[in-house]
Amino acid sequence: MKTYDIALIPGDGIGKDVTGAAWQVMQAAAKRGGFALDGTRFPWSCAYYLETGAMMPPDGIETLRKFDAIYLGAVGWSAEVPDSVSLHGLLLPIRKGFTQYANIRPHRLLPGVQGPLRSDGFDILCIRENTEGEYSGAGGRIHCGTANEVAIETAIFTRAGVERIIRFGFEQARARRKKLASVTKSNAQKHSMVFWDEVTREVAKDYADVEVSHYHIDAIAARMVLAPESLDVIVASNLFGDILTDIGAAIQGGLGYAASANINPDRSAPSMFEPVHGSAPDIAQLGVANPIAAIWSGAMMLEHLGEGHAAAEVMSAIESITARGIGTIAGKDRTETITQAVLAALS
């Protein structure tokens, strides 16, 4: 029997609840599919930081390297640990350390879910550059606490980094409806974003079968609200992709449905899968967190591992319960209720 070794990092807040829920579903899908998932849990979190002074041990990246995939629940507890510390101490080092340069987020309405827009016939795949750009961490502060204080944050765009994410976006578009929207702000950012546009045009020559559109970030943000059905694959920088995927989560009914994958496309290191709703401290330990985004992320993990049939079965189970109104209204159904419904649909 094929066995996959999975690193489980439940993290903070509701991350623990949804990780447990998703893991039950993944185990059931594996049993049906004739393979096994062997999970190893790591306590790395804000609580771990308060105990040790670090979000993960110094050898954390090397510890994770041996796994086939990483499943993350949620990271962050801003009342106790600044978000800049938790993010740069765990999530970003994993993404960068394993060259998980493609962040993939699907945005579509599940059956039975009511979104805020009049349009419901959209299916958008956002591809976000995940390792450089505006979140490179280059910069600094001087004269701190004085009237002359200066803060500099430098966005770094490399040809290798920009070309590979744009090429990845084209490959995704080619496998879908053959439409790619490249997002910049090149009218205002005349160096980095003009560079991005130039690389996009160069790469587009290799994908004559894909229709390419160029949007400024503000224009495509409006289009995602006014005409989301007109979009297929979107590719954007780290910051712009971060913003657009929150819009995507909103129009698909909320963060409870926002799944994601952090992919190392050449598979030289493990990829990481996570719901993107955050740790939600206000509802932590109440048992009311919606686990659908976490389960959907798990399905993306199964797909990446090569278990496409099992992934499709999980997605079918999710869609069957939302079509019956389960997990479609925030706070109506408990985490366990939704989980058991998915398990029943899966069986």
Side-chain angles (χ1 to χ4, degrees), residues 6-186:
I6 311 298
L8 300 172
I9 309 176
D12 300 297
I14 65 170
K16 300 175 183 177
D17 296 335
V18 298
T19 298
W23 191 242
Q24 289 182 63
V25 175
M26 295 305 103
Q27 290 284 5
K31 185 176 181 180
R32 285 177 55 83
F35 59 94
L37 299 173
D38 187 6
T40 301
R41 292 179 181 269
F42 295 93
W44 306 339
S45 61
C46 288
Y48 185 86
Y49 176 87
L50 294 173
E51 292 177 4
T52 67
M55 291 296 295
M56 64 178 171
D59 63 349
I61 295 297
E62 289 311 308
T63 298
L64 294 174
R65 190 176 298 276
K66 67 180 182 180
F67 289 91
D68 295 305
I70 303 162
Y71 186 89
L72 178 73
V75 175
W77 200 274
S78 58
E80 298 180 342
V81 178
D83 288 338
S84 58
V85 171
S86 59
L87 182 67
H88 286 272
L90 185 60
L91 192 59
L92 293 188
I94 293 174
R95 289 175 175 174
K96 294 176 182 179
F98 294 138
T99 321
Q100 297 169 351
Y101 67 81
N103 183 269
I104 305 174
R105 302 194 188 181
H107 301 298
R108 61 182 177 86
L109 281 173
L110 294 171
V113 176
Q114 182 69 49
L117 305 182
R118 287 173 295 179
S119 174
D120 60 4
F122 59 87
D123 182 358
I124 302 171
L125 191 68
C126 279
I127 308 297
R128 166 189 170 190
E129 201 291 316
N130 213 28
T131 58
E132 55 177 48
E134 305 89 347
Y135 294 176
S136 298
R141 294 169 64 177
I142 60 173
H143 310 308
C144 296
T146 74
N148 297 318
E149 185 168 2
V150 177
I152 297 175
E153 193 85 31
T154 302
I156 296 177
F157 291 86
T158 66
R159 177 168 289 275
V162 173
E163 181 173 344
R164 69 188 180 186
I165 193 63
I166 290 173
R167 193 169 294 279
F168 185 87
F170 270 106
E171 291 292 338
Q172 298 302 306
R174 174 173 277 175
R176 287 168 51 95
R177 302 194 303 278
K178 295 182 172 56
K179 295 172 62 177
L180 180 80
S182 177
V183 180
T184 64
K185 188 62 176 171
S186 51

